[in-house]
Coordinates of all heavy atoms in Angstrom, one line a residue:
M1 N -8.1 -11.9 -4.5 CA -9.1 -13.0 -4.9 C -8.7 -13.6 -6.2 O -9.0 -14.6 -6.4 CB -10.4 -12.3 -4.9 CG -11.5 -13.3 -5.1 SD -13.0 -12.6 -4.5 CE -14.1 -13.6 -5.4
A2 N -8.0 -12.8 -7.1 CA -7.5 -13.3 -8.3 C -6.6 -14.4 -8.2 O -6.6 -15.5 -8.9 CB -7.0 -12.2 -9.2
L3 N -5.7 -14.4 -7.1 CA -4.8 -15.4 -6.9 C -5.5 -16.8 -6.4 O -5.2 -17.8 -6.8 CB -3.8 -15.0 -5.8 CG -2.8 -16.0 -5.3 CD1 -1.8 -16.4 -6.5 CD2 -1.9 -15.6 -4.1
Q4 N -6.6 -16.6 -5.6 CA -7.4 -17.6 -5.2 C -8.0 -18.4 -6.5 O -8.0 -19.7 -6.6 CB -8.5 -17.3 -4.3 CG -7.9 -16.8 -3.0 CD -9.0 -16.1 -2.1 OE1 -10.0 -15.7 -2.6 NE2 -8.8 -15.9 -0.9
W5 N -8.5 -17.6 -7.4 CA -9.1 -18.2 -8.6 C -8.1 -18.8 -9.4 O -8.3 -19.9 -10.2 CB -9.9 -17.2 -9.3 CG -11.3 -17.0 -8.7 CD1 -11.7 -15.9 -8.1 CD2 -12.4 -17.8 -8.7 NE1 -12.9 -16.0 -7.5 CE2 -13.4 -17.2 -7.9 CE3 -12.6 -19.1 -9.2 CZ2 -14.6 -17.9 -7.6 CZ3 -13.9 -19.6 -9.0 CH2 -14.8 -19.1 -8.3
M6 N -6.9 -18.3 -9.5 CA -5.8 -18.9 -10.3 C -5.4 -20.2 -9.8 O -5.3 -21.1 -10.5 CB -4.6 -17.9 -10.4 CG -3.5 -18.3 -11.3 SD -2.2 -17.2 -11.4 CE -1.4 -17.5 -9.8
I7 N -5.2 -20.3 -8.4 CA -4.9 -21.5 -7.7 C -6.0 -22.6 -8.1 O -5.6 -23.7 -8.4 CB -4.7 -21.3 -6.3 CG1 -3.4 -20.6 -6.0 CG2 -4.6 -22.7 -5.6 CD1 -3.3 -20.0 -4.6
L8 N -7.2 -22.2 -7.9 CA -8.3 -23.2 -8.1 C -8.4 -23.7 -9.6 O -8.6 -24.7 -9.8 CB -9.7 -22.5 -7.8 CG -10.8 -23.4 -7.7 CD1 -10.7 -24.5 -6.8 CD2 -12.1 -22.5 -7.5
T9 N -8.1 -22.8 -10.5 CA -8.0 -23.1 -11.9 C -6.9 -24.2 -12.2 O -7.1 -25.1 -12.9 CB -7.8 -21.8 -12.8 OG1 -8.9 -20.9 -12.5 CG2 -7.8 -22.2 -14.2
Y10 N -5.8 -23.9 -11.7 CA -4.7 -24.8 -11.9 C -5.0 -26.2 -11.3 O -4.6 -27.3 -11.9 CB -3.3 -24.3 -11.2 CG -2.8 -23.1 -12.0 CD1 -2.0 -22.1 -11.5 CD2 -2.9 -23.0 -13.4 CE1 -1.4 -21.1 -12.2 CE2 -2.4 -22.0 -14.1 CZ -1.5 -21.1 -13.5 OH -1.0 -20.1 -14.2
L11 N -5.6 -26.2 -10.1 CA -5.9 -27.5 -9.6 C -6.9 -28.2 -10.3 O -6.9 -29.5 -10.4 CB -6.4 -27.3 -8.0 CG -5.2 -26.8 -7.1 CD1 -5.8 -26.5 -5.7 CD2 -4.2 -27.9 -7.0
V12 N -7.9 -27.5 -10.7 CA -8.9 -28.2 -11.5 C -8.4 -28.7 -12.9 O -8.7 -29.9 -13.4 CB -10.1 -27.2 -11.9 CG1 -11.1 -27.9 -13.0 CG2 -10.9 -27.0 -10.5
A13 N -7.4 -28.0 -13.5 CA -6.7 -28.4 -14.7 C -5.9 -29.7 -14.4 O -5.9 -30.6 -15.2 CB -5.9 -27.3 -15.3
A14 N -5.2 -29.8 -13.3 CA -4.4 -30.9 -12.9 C -5.3 -32.1 -12.7 O -5.0 -33.2 -13.1 CB -3.6 -30.6 -11.6
E15 N -6.4 -31.8 -12.0 CA -7.4 -33.0 -11.8 C -8.0 -33.5 -13.2 O -8.1 -34.6 -13.3 CB -8.6 -32.5 -10.9 CG -8.2 -32.3 -9.5 CD -9.3 -32.0 -8.6 OE1 -10.4 -31.7 -9.1 OE2 -9.1 -32.0 -7.4
A16 N -8.1 -32.6 -14.1 CA -8.7 -33.0 -15.5 C -7.6 -33.9 -16.2 O -7.9 -34.9 -16.8 CB -9.1 -31.9 -16.3
A17 N -6.4 -33.5 -16.0 CA -5.2 -34.2 -16.6 C -5.1 -35.6 -15.9 O -4.9 -36.5 -16.7 CB -4.0 -33.5 -16.5
I18 N -5.3 -35.6 -14.7 CA -5.1 -36.9 -14.0 C -6.3 -37.8 -14.4 O -6.1 -39.0 -14.7 CB -5.1 -36.6 -12.4 CG1 -3.8 -36.1 -12.1 CG2 -5.4 -38.0 -11.8 CD1 -3.8 -35.5 -10.7
A19 N -7.5 -37.4 -14.4 CA -8.7 -38.1 -14.9 C -8.5 -38.6 -16.3 O -8.8 -39.8 -16.7 CB -9.9 -37.3 -14.9
T20 N -7.8 -37.8 -17.2 CA -7.6 -38.3 -18.6 C -6.5 -39.4 -18.6 O -6.7 -40.4 -19.2 CB -7.1 -37.1 -19.4 OG1 -8.0 -36.1 -19.4 CG2 -6.8 -37.5 -20.8
L21 N -5.5 -39.3 -17.7 CA -4.5 -40.3 -17.6 C -5.0 -41.6 -17.1 O -4.7 -42.8 -17.6 CB -3.4 -39.9 -16.6 CG -2.3 -39.0 -17.3 CD1 -1.4 -38.5 -16.1 CD2 -1.6 -39.7 -18.3
L22 N -6.0 -41.6 -16.2 CA -6.6 -42.8 -15.6 C -7.6 -43.5 -16.4 O -7.8 -44.6 -16.4 CB -7.2 -42.3 -14.2 CG -6.3 -42.0 -13.1 CD1 -7.2 -41.7 -11.8 CD2 -5.3 -43.1 -12.7
T23 N -8.1 -42.7 -17.4 CA -9.1 -43.3 -18.3 C -8.5 -43.9 -19.6 O -9.1 -44.6 -20.3 CB -10.1 -42.3 -18.7 OG1 -9.5 -41.1 -19.3 CG2 -11.0 -41.9 -17.5
L24 N -7.2 -43.6 -19.8 CA -6.5 -44.1 -20.9 C -6.3 -45.6 -20.8 O -6.0 -46.1 -19.6 CB -5.1 -43.5 -21.2 CG -5.3 -42.0 -21.6 CD1 -3.8 -41.4 -21.7 CD2 -5.9 -41.9 -23.1
P25 N -6.4 -46.4 -21.9 CA -6.2 -47.8 -21.7 C -4.7 -48.2 -21.4 O -3.8 -47.6 -22.1 CB -6.6 -48.5 -23.0 CG -6.8 -47.3 -23.9 CD -6.8 -46.1 -23.2
S26 N -4.4 -49.0 -20.4 CA -3.1 -49.3 -20.1 C -3.1 -50.6 -19.3 O -4.1 -51.1 -18.9 CB -2.5 -48.3 -19.2 OG -3.2 -48.1 -18.0
P27 N -1.8 -51.3 -19.2 CA -1.8 -52.6 -18.5 C -2.3 -52.5 -17.1 O -2.1 -51.3 -16.5 CB -0.3 -52.9 -18.6 CG 0.2 -52.2 -19.8 CD -0.7 -51.0 -19.8
K28 N -2.8 -53.5 -16.5 CA -3.3 -53.5 -15.2 C -2.4 -53.1 -14.1 O -2.6 -52.3 -13.2 CB -4.0 -54.9 -14.9 CG -5.0 -54.9 -13.7 CD -5.7 -56.2 -13.6 CE -6.7 -56.0 -12.7 NZ -8.1 -56.2 -13.2
L29 N -1.1 -53.6 -14.2 CA -0.1 -53.2 -13.2 C 0.3 -51.8 -13.2 O 0.4 -51.1 -12.3 CB 1.1 -54.1 -13.3 CG 2.3 -53.9 -12.4 CD1 1.8 -54.2 -11.0 CD2 3.4 -54.8 -12.8
L30 N 0.5 -51.3 -14.4 CA 0.8 -49.9 -14.6 C -0.4 -49.0 -14.1 O -0.1 -48.0 -13.4 CB 1.0 -49.5 -16.1 CG 1.5 -48.1 -16.4 CD1 2.7 -47.7 -15.7 CD2 1.5 -47.9 -17.9
K31 N -1.6 -49.3 -14.5 CA -2.7 -48.6 -13.9 C -2.9 -48.6 -12.5 O -3.1 -47.6 -11.8 CB -4.0 -49.1 -14.6 CG -5.2 -48.2 -14.2 CD -6.5 -48.6 -15.0 CE -6.4 -48.1 -16.3 NZ -7.1 -47.0 -16.8
Y32 N -2.6 -49.7 -11.8 CA -2.7 -49.8 -10.3 C -1.6 -48.8 -9.7 O -1.8 -48.2 -8.7 CB -2.5 -51.3 -9.9 CG -2.4 -51.5 -8.5 CD1 -3.5 -51.4 -7.7 CD2 -1.1 -51.7 -7.9 CE1 -3.4 -51.6 -6.2 CE2 -1.0 -51.8 -6.5 CZ -2.2 -51.8 -5.6 OH -2.1 -51.9 -4.3
R33 N -0.3 -48.9 -10.2 CA 0.7 -48.1 -9.7 C 0.4 -46.6 -9.9 O 0.7 -45.7 -9.0 CB 2.1 -48.5 -10.3 CG 2.5 -49.9 -9.7 CD 3.8 -50.1 -10.0 NE 4.2 -51.4 -9.4 CZ 5.4 -51.8 -9.4 NH1 6.4 -51.1 -9.8 NH2 5.6 -53.0 -8.9
L34 N -0.2 -46.4 -11.1 CA -0.5 -44.9 -11.4 C -1.5 -44.4 -10.4 O -1.5 -43.3 -9.9 CB -0.9 -44.8 -12.8 CG -1.2 -43.5 -13.4 CD1 0.1 -42.6 -13.3 CD2 -1.8 -43.4 -14.8
V35 N -2.6 -45.3 -10.2 CA -3.6 -44.9 -9.3 C -3.1 -44.7 -7.9 O -3.5 -43.7 -7.2 CB -4.8 -45.9 -9.3 CG1 -5.7 -45.7 -8.1 CG2 -5.5 -45.9 -10.5
S36 N -2.4 -45.6 -7.4 CA -1.7 -45.3 -6.0 C -0.8 -44.2 -6.0 O -0.9 -43.4 -4.9 CB -0.9 -46.7 -5.7 OG 0.2 -46.8 -6.4
L37 N -0.1 -43.8 -6.9 CA 0.8 -42.6 -7.0 C -0.1 -41.3 -6.9 O 0.0 -40.4 -6.2 CB 1.7 -42.6 -8.2 CG 2.5 -41.3 -8.4 CD1 3.5 -41.2 -7.3 CD2 3.1 -41.3 -9.7
I38 N -1.1 -41.3 -7.8 CA -2.0 -40.2 -7.9 C -2.8 -40.0 -6.6 O -3.0 -38.9 -6.1 CB -3.0 -40.2 -9.1 CG1 -2.2 -40.1 -10.3 CG2 -4.1 -39.3 -9.0 CD1 -2.9 -40.4 -11.6
S39 N -3.2 -41.1 -6.0 CA -3.9 -41.1 -4.6 C -3.0 -40.4 -3.6 O -3.5 -39.6 -2.8 CB -4.2 -42.5 -4.2 OG -4.7 -42.4 -3.0
L40 N -1.7 -40.8 -3.6 CA -0.8 -40.1 -2.6 C -0.5 -38.7 -2.9 O -0.4 -37.9 -2.0 CB 0.5 -40.9 -2.6 CG 0.6 -42.2 -2.1 CD1 2.0 -42.9 -2.2 CD2 0.3 -42.1 -0.5
L41 N -0.6 -38.3 -4.2 CA -0.4 -36.9 -4.5 C -1.6 -36.0 -4.2 O -1.4 -34.8 -3.8 CB -0.1 -36.8 -6.0 CG 1.4 -37.3 -6.4 CD1 1.5 -37.2 -7.9 CD2 2.4 -36.5 -5.7
L42 N -2.8 -36.6 -4.3 CA -4.0 -35.9 -4.2 C -4.4 -35.8 -2.6 O -5.3 -34.8 -2.4 CB -5.2 -36.4 -5.0 CG -5.1 -36.0 -6.5 CD1 -6.3 -36.7 -7.2 CD2 -5.0 -34.6 -6.8
Q43 N -4.0 -36.6 -1.8 CA -4.4 -36.5 -0.4 C -4.1 -35.1 0.2 O -4.9 -34.7 0.9 CB -3.9 -37.7 0.4 CG -4.5 -39.0 0.2 CD -3.8 -40.1 0.8 OE1 -2.8 -39.9 1.5 NE2 -4.4 -41.3 0.7
P44 N -3.0 -34.6 0.0 CA -2.7 -33.2 0.6 C -3.6 -32.2 -0.1 O -3.8 -31.1 0.5 CB -1.3 -32.9 0.3 CG -0.6 -34.2 0.0 CD -1.7 -35.0 -0.5
A45 N -4.1 -32.4 -1.2 CA -4.9 -31.4 -2.0 C -6.4 -31.6 -1.7 O -7.1 -31.1 -2.5 CB -4.7 -31.4 -3.4
I46 N -6.8 -32.2 -0.6 CA -8.1 -32.5 -0.3 C -8.9 -31.3 0.1 O -10.2 -31.2 0.1 CB -8.2 -33.6 0.8 CG1 -9.6 -34.1 0.8 CG2 -7.9 -33.1 2.2 CD1 -9.9 -35.2 -0.3
F47 N -8.3 -30.1 0.3 CA -8.9 -28.9 0.7 C -9.6 -28.2 -0.5 O -10.2 -27.2 -0.3 CB -7.8 -27.9 1.2 CG -6.9 -27.3 0.2 CD1 -7.3 -26.1 -0.5 CD2 -5.7 -27.9 -0.2 CE1 -6.5 -25.6 -1.4 CE2 -5.0 -27.4 -1.2 CZ -5.2 -26.2 -1.7
I48 N -9.6 -28.7 -1.7 CA -10.1 -28.1 -2.9 C -11.6 -27.9 -2.8 O -12.1 -26.8 -3.1 CB -9.7 -28.9 -4.2 CG1 -8.2 -28.9 -4.4 CG2 -10.5 -28.4 -5.3 CD1 -7.8 -29.8 -5.4
V49 N -12.3 -29.0 -2.3 CA -13.8 -28.8 -2.2 C -14.2 -27.8 -1.2 O -15.0 -26.8 -1.6 CB -14.3 -30.2 -1.8 CG1 -15.8 -30.1 -1.6 CG2 -14.1 -31.2 -3.0
P50 N -13.7 -27.8 0.0 CA -14.1 -26.7 1.0 C -13.6 -25.3 0.4 O -14.4 -24.3 0.6 CB -13.3 -27.0 2.3 CG -12.9 -28.4 2.2 CD -12.8 -28.7 0.7
F51 N -12.4 -25.3 -0.2 CA -12.0 -23.9 -0.8 C -13.0 -23.5 -1.8 O -13.3 -22.2 -2.0 CB -10.6 -24.1 -1.4 CG -10.0 -22.9 -1.9 CD1 -9.5 -21.9 -1.1 CD2 -9.8 -22.7 -3.2 CE1 -9.0 -20.8 -1.6 CE2 -9.2 -21.6 -3.8 CZ -8.9 -20.6 -3.0
S52 N -13.4 -24.4 -2.7 CA -14.4 -24.0 -3.8 C -15.7 -23.5 -3.1 O -16.3 -22.6 -3.7 CB -14.7 -25.1 -4.7 OG -13.4 -25.6 -5.3
G53 N -16.1 -24.2 -2.1 CA -17.4 -23.9 -1.5 C -17.2 -22.5 -0.8 O -18.2 -21.7 -0.9
F54 N -16.1 -22.1 -0.2 CA -15.8 -20.9 0.3 C -15.9 -19.8 -0.7 O -16.5 -18.7 -0.5 CB -14.5 -20.8 1.1 CG -14.1 -19.4 1.6 CD1 -14.7 -18.9 2.6 CD2 -13.1 -18.7 0.8 CE1 -14.4 -17.6 3.0 CE2 -12.8 -17.5 1.3 CZ -13.3 -16.9 2.4
Q55 N -15.2 -20.0 -1.9 CA -15.3 -19.1 -2.9 C -16.7 -18.8 -3.4 O -17.1 -17.6 -3.7 CB -14.5 -19.5 -4.2 CG -13.0 -19.6 -3.9 CD -12.4 -18.1 -3.6 OE1 -12.8 -17.2 -4.3 NE2 -11.6 -18.1 -2.6
L56 N -17.6 -19.8 -3.6 CA -18.9 -19.6 -4.0 C -19.7 -18.9 -2.9 O -20.5 -18.0 -3.3 CB -19.5 -21.0 -4.3 CG -19.0 -21.7 -5.5 CD1 -19.6 -23.0 -5.6 CD2 -19.3 -20.8 -6.8
L57 N -19.5 -19.2 -1.7 CA -20.2 -18.5 -0.7 C -19.7 -17.0 -0.6 O -20.6 -16.1 -0.3 CB -20.0 -19.1 0.8 CG -20.8 -20.4 1.0 CD1 -20.4 -20.9 2.3 CD2 -22.3 -20.1 1.0
D58 N -18.5 -16.8 -0.8 CA -18.0 -15.4 -0.9 C -18.7 -14.5 -2.0 O -19.1 -13.5 -1.8 CB -16.5 -15.4 -1.0 CG -15.8 -14.0 -1.0 OD1 -16.3 -13.2 0.0 OD2 -15.0 -13.7 -1.7
I59 N -18.8 -15.2 -3.1 CA -19.4 -14.5 -4.3 C -20.9 -14.2 -4.0 O -21.4 -13.1 -4.3 CB -19.3 -15.3 -5.6 CG1 -17.8 -15.3 -6.1 CG2 -20.1 -14.8 -6.7 CD1 -17.5 -16.3 -7.1
Y60 N -21.6 -15.3 -3.4 CA -23.0 -15.0 -3.2 C -23.2 -14.1 -2.1 O -24.1 -13.1 -2.2 CB -23.5 -16.5 -2.6 CG -24.9 -16.3 -2.0 CD1 -25.9 -16.1 -2.9 CD2 -25.2 -16.3 -0.6 CE1 -27.2 -16.1 -2.4 CE2 -26.4 -16.2 -0.1 CZ -27.5 -16.1 -1.0 OH -28.7 -15.9 -0.5
W61 N -22.4 -14.0 -1.0 CA -22.4 -13.0 0.0 C -22.3 -11.5 -0.6 O -23.0 -10.6 -0.3 CB -21.5 -13.2 1.1 CG -21.5 -12.2 2.2 CD1 -20.7 -11.1 2.3 CD2 -22.4 -12.2 3.3 NE1 -21.1 -10.4 3.5 CE2 -22.1 -11.1 4.1 CE3 -23.4 -13.1 3.8 CZ2 -22.8 -10.9 5.3 CZ3 -24.0 -12.8 4.9 CH2 -23.7 -11.6 5.7
K62 N -21.3 -11.4 -1.4 CA -21.0 -10.0 -2.0 C -22.2 -9.6 -2.9 O -22.5 -8.4 -3.0 CB -19.7 -10.1 -2.8 CG -18.6 -10.1 -1.8 CD -17.2 -10.1 -2.5 CE -16.2 -10.1 -1.6 NZ -14.8 -10.3 -2.2
M63 N -22.7 -10.6 -3.7 CA -23.9 -10.2 -4.6 C -25.1 -9.9 -3.7 O -25.9 -8.9 -4.1 CB -24.2 -11.4 -5.5 CG -23.1 -11.6 -6.5 SD -22.8 -10.2 -7.7 CE -24.3 -10.2 -8.6
E64 N -25.4 -10.6 -2.7 CA -26.5 -10.3 -1.9 C -26.5 -9.0 -1.1 O -27.5 -8.5 -0.8 CB -26.9 -11.5 -1.0 CG -27.4 -12.7 -1.7 CD -28.7 -12.5 -2.4 OE1 -29.5 -11.8 -1.8 OE2 -28.9 -12.9 -3.6
H65 N -25.3 -8.7 -0.6 CA -25.2 -7.6 0.4 C -24.5 -6.4 -0.2 O -23.9 -5.5 0.5 CB -24.3 -8.1 1.6 CG -25.1 -9.1 2.3 ND1 -25.0 -10.4 2.1 CD2 -26.1 -9.0 3.3 CE1 -25.8 -11.1 2.9 NE2 -26.5 -10.2 3.6
R66 N -24.5 -6.3 -1.6 CA -23.9 -5.1 -2.1 C -24.9 -3.9 -2.0 O -26.1 -4.1 -1.9 CB -23.5 -5.3 -3.6 CG -24.7 -5.5 -4.5 CD -24.3 -5.7 -5.9 NE -25.5 -5.8 -6.7 CZ -25.6 -6.5 -7.8 NH1 -24.5 -7.1 -8.3 NH2 -26.7 -6.5 -8.5
L67 N -24.4 -2.8 -2.0 CA -25.2 -1.4 -1.9 C -26.0 -1.2 -3.1 O -25.4 -1.2 -4.2 CB -24.3 -0.3 -1.6 CG -25.0 1.0 -1.3 CD1 -25.8 1.0 -0.2 CD2 -23.9 2.0 -1.2
M68 N -27.3 -1.2 -2.9 CA -28.1 -0.7 -4.2 C -28.3 0.8 -4.1 O -29.0 1.2 -3.2 CB -29.4 -1.5 -4.1 CG -29.2 -2.9 -4.3 SD -28.5 -3.3 -5.9 CE -29.3 -4.7 -6.4
C69 N -27.9 1.5 -5.1 CA -28.1 2.8 -5.1 C -28.7 3.2 -6.4 O -28.2 3.3 -7.4 CB -26.7 3.6 -5.1 SG -26.8 5.3 -4.9
T70 N -30.1 3.2 -6.4 CA -30.9 3.4 -7.5 C -31.7 4.8 -7.6 O -32.1 5.3 -8.6 CB -32.0 2.3 -7.7 OG1 -32.8 2.2 -6.6 CG2 -31.3 1.0 -7.9
G71 N -31.8 5.3 -6.4 CA -32.5 6.7 -6.3 C -31.8 7.8 -6.1 O -30.4 7.8 -6.1
E72 N -32.3 8.9 -5.9 CA -31.6 10.2 -5.5 C -31.3 10.3 -4.1 O -30.7 11.3 -3.7 CB -32.4 11.4 -6.0 CG -32.7 11.4 -7.5 CD -31.4 11.7 -8.2 OE1 -30.5 12.5 -7.6 OE2 -31.2 11.2 -9.3
T73 N -31.6 9.3 -3.3 CA -31.3 9.4 -1.8 C -29.9 9.0 -1.5 O -29.5 9.1 -0.4 CB -32.3 8.5 -1.1 OG1 -32.1 7.1 -1.5 CG2 -33.6 8.9 -1.3
C74 N -29.1 8.6 -2.4 CA -27.8 8.2 -2.1 C -26.8 9.4 -2.0 O -26.9 10.3 -2.7 CB -27.2 7.3 -3.3 SG -28.1 5.7 -3.4
T75 N -25.9 9.3 -1.0 CA -24.9 10.3 -0.9 C -23.8 10.1 -2.0 O -23.7 9.0 -2.6 CB -24.3 10.3 0.5 OG1 -23.6 9.1 0.6 CG2 -25.4 10.4 1.5
A76 N -22.9 11.1 -2.0 CA -21.7 10.8 -3.0 C -20.9 9.7 -2.6 O -20.4 8.9 -3.4 CB -21.0 12.2 -3.0
A77 N -20.7 9.5 -1.3 CA -19.8 8.4 -0.8 C -20.5 7.2 -1.1 O -19.7 6.2 -1.5 CB -19.5 8.5 0.7
E78 N -21.8 7.0 -0.9 CA -22.5 5.7 -1.2 C -22.4 5.4 -2.7 O -22.3 4.4 -3.1 CB -23.9 5.8 -0.8 CG -24.0 5.7 0.8 CD -25.5 5.9 1.2 OE1 -26.3 6.6 0.4 OE2 -25.8 5.6 2.4
R79 N -22.6 6.5 -3.5 CA -22.6 6.2 -5.0 C -21.2 5.8 -5.4 O -21.0 4.9 -6.2 CB -22.9 7.6 -5.6 CG -23.2 7.4 -7.2 CD -23.8 8.6 -7.7 NE -25.2 8.8 -7.3 CZ -25.6 9.9 -6.6 NH1 -24.7 10.8 -6.2 NH2 -26.9 10.1 -6.1
D80 N -20.1 6.3 -4.9 CA -18.7 5.9 -5.2 C -18.5 4.5 -4.7 O -18.0 3.7 -5.4 CB -17.8 6.8 -4.5 CG -17.7 8.2 -5.1 OD1 -18.1 8.3 -6.3 OD2 -17.1 9.1 -4.4
R81 N -19.0 4.1 -3.6 CA -18.9 2.7 -3.1 C -19.7 1.8 -4.0 O -19.1 0.7 -4.3 CB -19.4 2.6 -1.7 CG -19.2 1.3 -1.1 CD -19.6 1.4 0.5 NE -19.7 -0.1 0.9 CZ -20.6 -0.5 1.7 NH1 -21.5 0.4 2.1 NH2 -20.7 -1.8 2.0
Y82 N -20.9 2.1 -4.4 CA -21.6 1.2 -5.3 C -21.0 1.1 -6.7 O -20.9 0.0 -7.2 CB -23.0 1.9 -5.5 CG -23.8 1.2 -6.5 CD1 -24.4 0.0 -6.2 CD2 -24.1 1.8 -7.8 CE1 -25.2 -0.7 -7.1 CE2 -24.9 1.1 -8.6 CZ -25.4 -0.2 -8.3 OH -26.2 -0.8 -9.2
E83 N -20.3 2.1 -7.2 CA -19.7 2.0 -8.5 C -18.4 1.2 -8.4 O -18.1 0.5 -9.4 CB -19.4 3.4 -8.9 CG -20.6 4.2 -9.4 CD -20.3 5.7 -9.8 OE1 -19.1 6.1 -9.7 OE2 -21.2 6.4 -10.3
K84 N -17.7 1.3 -7.3 CA -16.6 0.4 -7.1 C -16.9 -1.1 -7.0 O -16.1 -2.0 -7.3 CB -15.8 0.9 -5.9 CG -15.1 2.2 -6.2 CD -14.2 2.6 -5.0 CE -13.7 3.9 -5.2 NZ -12.9 4.4 -3.9
S85 N -18.0 -1.3 -6.4 CA -18.4 -2.8 -6.2 C -19.0 -3.3 -7.5 O -18.7 -4.1 -8.2 CB -19.5 -3.0 -5.1 OG -20.6 -2.3 -5.5

């Protein structure tokens, strides 16, 4: 899961850099070509939004369905599983 978050972090950083490049003042022709180049580069990376949604759902699912071991009714195996999560 750490690899997934690392990939997502790099992609968000790249998008921030691209947004910064696009907002800098530049001649109209240069900006048009830069926008078309960036558009071609980002089309294969369109999976970022569903991937982020999947990550958030995964975190939500793990938080909602983790084992709650608060009383003395837990077995040793359940207690170990709770501590690992």
Side-chain angles (χ1 to χ4, degrees):
M1 188 154 159
L3 180 62
Q4 295 168 344
W5 281 107
M6 187 178 72
I7 291 169
L8 189 61
T9 303
Y10 287 148
L11 290 174
V12 169
E15 286 179 354
I18 290 169
T20 304
L21 280 175
L22 291 178
T23 57
L24 292 175
S26 60
K28 194 168 193 122
L29 181 62
L30 180 64
K31 186 169 284 256
Y32 174 74
R33 289 191 180 193
L34 187 62
V35 166
S36 65
L37 175 67
I38 290 171
S39 172
L40 286 173
L41 291 174
L42 285 181
Q43 283 177 356
I46 198 75
F47 74 93
I48 295 170
V49 173
F51 182 72
S52 300
F54 172 74
Q55 291 296 319
L56 290 173
L57 284 173
D58 186 43
I59 291 170
Y60 172 75
W61 181 265
K62 287 179 180 176
M63 291 298 290
E64 288 295 319
H65 294 94
R66 68 178 182 210
L67 178 65
M68 292 299 217
C69 188
T70 56
E72 292 296 323
T73 60
C74 296
T75 64
E78 288 174 337
R79 193 171 291 115
D80 288 342
R81 183 173 167 222
Y82 175 72
E83 290 175 358
K84 288 180 182 178
S85 67

